Amino acid sequence: MTGKQFLSTVKYVAGTKPAFLLSEIAVYLDEPLSVGQMYALLQPHLAALGLAAQKTGEDYAISRLQPSPPYILNAAEEKRLDAYLSLGSMPSVLETVIEQYISGKTGKDWSDPVILERLRRAIVAQKDDYWKPADKRSLQYTKGYAVLGYLAYHFPVYFMQARHLLAQMARDGLLKQEMTILDLGTGPGVIPLAVEDFWMCLDTARATVHSVERSKENIEAFGALARSVATQNPQVTIEPPREADITSPGEMQLPDRVDLMVFSNVLNELAGLPVAARADIVMDYAERLAPDGAILIIEPAEEATSTGLRILALALKKRGLSIYAPCTFVWGTNCTPDRCWSFQTAPSIRPTRIMNTLAACNEPFRYVNTDIKYSYVSLRRDGKTRTHCHIPKDTKALRLSKVHLNVGKRITVVAAKMSEDLGDKETHLFRLCDGSAEKPVYAVLPAFHIMPSNRELGSAPYGAVLEIRNVLVRYNPAHDAYNLLVSRNTQVTPIV
Ligand SMILES: C[S@@+](CC[C@H](N)C(=O)[O-])C[C@H]1O[C@@H](n2cnc3c(N)ncnc32)[C@H](O)[C@@H]1O
């Protein structure tokens, strides 16, 4: 009997009774399997089957997984969160621990000119690598300075960026009283440390964070940072990272049921793998996702990685996951993501002491990394989406896939705002998407046409769905894209 047949037998039995012992499955099997063998086959798929296992003596009691209650923020937590998000700096204890770690690893004070010069070289090398085509990169994090450079340059901004993503989840009611979190490709522990920090805003929620990382240097840095910082919050347990390759999920001992899985800035590094193989890897992990859990994939906002993320997200949608955010499929169609460059922004962070010290040179801009710009997708198995799009009955909206037939005409569309302002003071420019367009579509709003009736275009948050009435369609040959010209007579209304 294959593993697949075994799993369908378990599924069948689970459909007939709410609880049973794993040993009861043995009678249905053509080839005998011990309870231990059956458990090893079942464990990675428990969450996908909606089941939980509890060891009882030599056996396992199998029962249906009960949904965990959502963690709803109270007024005081909401207020705390606002204050927290307005902070522009990493916690000072973390900043100090990073400095101490660099000093400890190099044997000299981090601000020693020799160390600073080596950090500068490491940062430049890492950035140069990032801009290379995916298959030409050599991001390995095997050398000490690669990790030290990462701590000095990337860590602060990614740590602060995680705050915004976690806050969005908290406000959407997607956190739980008790959560199991799994961070794949954790590096020096950006996500686990951000969770530990974020949960301090929550009164009673608890979380356990597991992680996987293949680079020893990163694991060492993670250990040092976590030891110094993580004991601060008893609500969060950070498990030591597993040293493993995330492309082989089957070979790792991982929790059965994960409420949140995070791939932060890592899937783009699996450059040798085609999209289908990357999607297969994510789907393997998704077997462990709680039925009401989320997978969060984050990538840098740079065009190639950002577009790569959208292509991957569509591949995952086609494999059965639903896209919770940021995309809205207004017409229920699948999108054409090949030119979908869409990212979110948040207020810049304050440069750290290390960044400021590194910047005391001829090319300061190379060493200060404060902009928060990221592409992300949140995926689920339960079909839930952040935005429910009900097109008002009286709206004769045109699909964006049809704008090419309406050049020079005035039309009405219903689409999500998929960028912050990409224009300038005179002309504001926002990317639009309804999930149907093959070519990029932008809303163009000249500053002198801003009116109360169209102001929502600028003020609506990233991802918001808008009804935009009365816009003029233009083709922009320089970018092979369509512009929808917003004027004083255009009405922009959020759709909720
Ligand atoms: C750019 S860092 C991101 C670290 C962290 N997640 C963050 O957002 O800052 C990518 C990390 O993924 C790890 N990584 C890349 N490929 C991996 C693989 N196949 N298995 C395990 N870790 C991997 C790298 O070693 C590195 O630590």
Side-chain angles (χ1 to χ4, degrees):
M1 177 174 276
T2 62
K4 218 170 174 180
Q5 285 168 315
F6 163 74
L7 292 177
S8 46
T9 308
V10 174
K11 200 171 170 181
Y12 169 75
V13 175
T16 61
K17 42 185 164 182
F20 57 91
L21 288 173
L22 192 53
S23 57
E24 291 174 42
I25 300 292
V27 295
Y28 299 97
L29 307 181
D30 300 336
E31 291 165 30
L33 286 177
S34 68
V35 167
Q37 287 168 322
M38 286 193 281
Y39 183 69
L41 282 175
L42 180 58
Q43 198 258 2
H45 307 281
L46 277 164
L49 293 170
L51 298 174
Q54 178 79 42
K55 194 153 179 29
T56 51
E58 297 300 298
D59 213 332
Y60 289 87
I62 309 293
S63 57
R64 293 192 188 142
L65 208 51
Q66 298 305 319
S68 337
Y71 190 85
I72 306 297
L73 299 179
N74 60 39
E77 287 171 317
E78 288 274 9
K79 217 166 145 195
R80 219 175 288 146
L81 208 54
D82 286 340
Y84 179 74
L85 290 179
S86 69
L87 299 171
S89 308
M90 265 202 314
S92 62
V93 58
L94 196 50
E95 192 171 339
T96 306
V97 169
I98 289 176
E99 291 169 357
Q100 287 168 347
Y101 184 71
I102 295 175
S103 302
K105 275 291 276 186
T106 58
K108 285 190 173 169
D109 192 79
W110 65 268
S111 59
D112 183 286
V114 175
I115 305 304
L116 290 173
E117 204 38 50
R118 289 187 188 153
L119 286 174
R120 286 191 192 102
R121 260 186 268 142
I123 291 167
V124 169
Q126 212 160 68
K127 283 202 283 185
D128 285 352
D129 221 19
Y130 237 100
W131 299 112
K132 285 182 191 159
D135 57 337
K136 302 250 168 4
R137 295 190 208 149
S138 59
L139 293 162
Q140 287 298 328
Y141 311 98
T142 45
K143 302 219 170 71
Y145 269 95
V147 173
L148 302 186
Y150 196 86
L151 289 172
Y153 186 82
H154 287 102
F155 186 108
V157 96
Y158 289 154
F159 177 89
M160 299 294 279
Q161 161 180 309
R163 289 184 168 183
H164 294 276
L165 287 152
L166 292 170
Q168 181 78 61
M169 287 192 74
R171 290 187 165 139
D172 285 0
L174 298 182
L175 300 187
K176 298 177 187 175
Q177 183 65 46
E178 295 266 353
M179 283 183 83
T180 300
I181 300 175
L182 174 62
D183 182 33
L184 287 315
T186 192
V190 173
I191 297 295
L193 293 165
V195 166
E196 192 269 347
D197 189 59
F198 185 88
W199 257 243
M200 287 200 239
C201 298
L202 309 177
D203 286 342
T204 59
R206 304 180 72 84
T208 303
V209 194
H210 301 260
S211 58
V212 181
E213 170 57 50
R214 72 172 172 198
S215 137
K216 282 194 169 49
E217 285 289 342
N218 265 319
I219 290 177
E220 185 188 334
F222 183 163
L225 303 190
R227 268 193 303 282
S228 314
V229 175
T231 44
Q232 296 203 329
N233 183 359
Q235 287 166 257
V236 175
T237 306
I238 299 185
E239 297 289 347
R242 290 159 180 73
E243 185 183 337
D245 192 315
I246 62 163
T247 58
S248 310
E251 290 160 25
M252 278 177 250
Q253 271 301 316
L254 295 171
D256 300 348
R257 173 194 168 159
V258 178
D259 300 298
L260 172 63
M261 275 178 204
V262 185
F263 296 86
S264 172
N265 304 303
V266 62
L267 289 175
N268 76 79
E269 292 196 4
L270 308 183
L273 296 181
V275 177
R278 272 184 263 173
D280 287 344
I281 292 169
V282 176
M283 290 311 288
D284 266 348
Y285 285 105
E287 287 286 294
R288 294 176 184 271
L289 189 68
D292 53 357
I295 299 179
L296 188 58
I297 308 180
I298 311 160
E299 296 289 13
E302 174 271 321
E303 185 171 5
T305 45
S306 173
T307 308
L309 168 64
R310 301 287 165 230
I311 294 170
L312 175 68
L314 183 67
L316 292 167
K317 182 172 184 280
K318 288 184 175 168
R319 280 164 166 74
L321 296 180
S322 58
I323 296 184
Y324 171 81
C327 314
T328 301
F329 296 85
V330 173
W331 303 103
T333 54
N334 277 333
C335 58
T336 308
D338 317 38
R339 291 178 62 197
C340 179
W341 183 14
S342 169
F343 55 87
Q344 179 139 29
T345 60
S348 300
I349 68 165
R350 236 169 271 137
T352 59
R353 278 187 295 271
I354 299 187
M355 286 184 203
N356 281 332
T357 315
L358 286 169
C361 65
N362 293 340
E363 298 172 304
F365 58 91
R366 297 186 99 172
Y367 309 107
V368 177
N369 185 20
T370 53
D371 287 355
I372 302 190
K373 286 185 180 173
Y374 57 96
S375 295
Y376 81 96
V377 65
S378 166
L379 300 141
R380 300 178 66 86
R381 293 221 326 256
D382 59 8
K384 201 169 176 167
T385 55
R386 180 183 293 148
T387 313
H388 308 281
C389 183
H390 301 292
I391 299 179
K393 277 207 179 77
D394 59 338
T395 306
K396 282 218 173 93
L398 188 83
R399 291 178 185 220
L400 294 184
S401 57
K402 300 278 185 249
V403 287
H404 64 290
L405 303 173
N406 289 271
V407 174
K409 293 184 191 154
R410 295 195 159 269
I411 60 165
T412 293
V413 300
V414 172
K417 172 178 161 181
M418 293 308 291
S419 74
E420 300 302 344
D421 193 355
L422 302 169
D424 51 33
K425 265 197 249 149
E426 274 99 59
T427 312
H428 305 288
L429 184 74
F430 303 93
R431 193 178 177 113
L432 297 177
C433 180
D434 68 356
S436 78
E438 282 179 17
K439 293 186 177 175
V441 179
Y442 297 91
V444 181
L445 172 58
F448 58 88
H449 277 315
I450 296 178
M451 300 290 289
S453 60
N454 60 31
R455 206 179 286 278
E456 284 282 348
L457 183 60
S459 59
Y462 177 79
V465 180
L466 305 170
E467 181 196 38
I468 308 175
R469 282 181 187 261
N470 198 10
V471 273
L472 180 66
V473 182
R474 286 263 169 81
Y475 175 61
N476 179 349
H479 292 99
D480 189 20
Y482 291 91
N483 289 340
L484 306 184
L485 302 189
V486 178
S487 66
R488 281 152 209 263
N489 301 323
T490 302
Q491 285 111 47
V492 179
T493 320
I495 294 216
V496 268

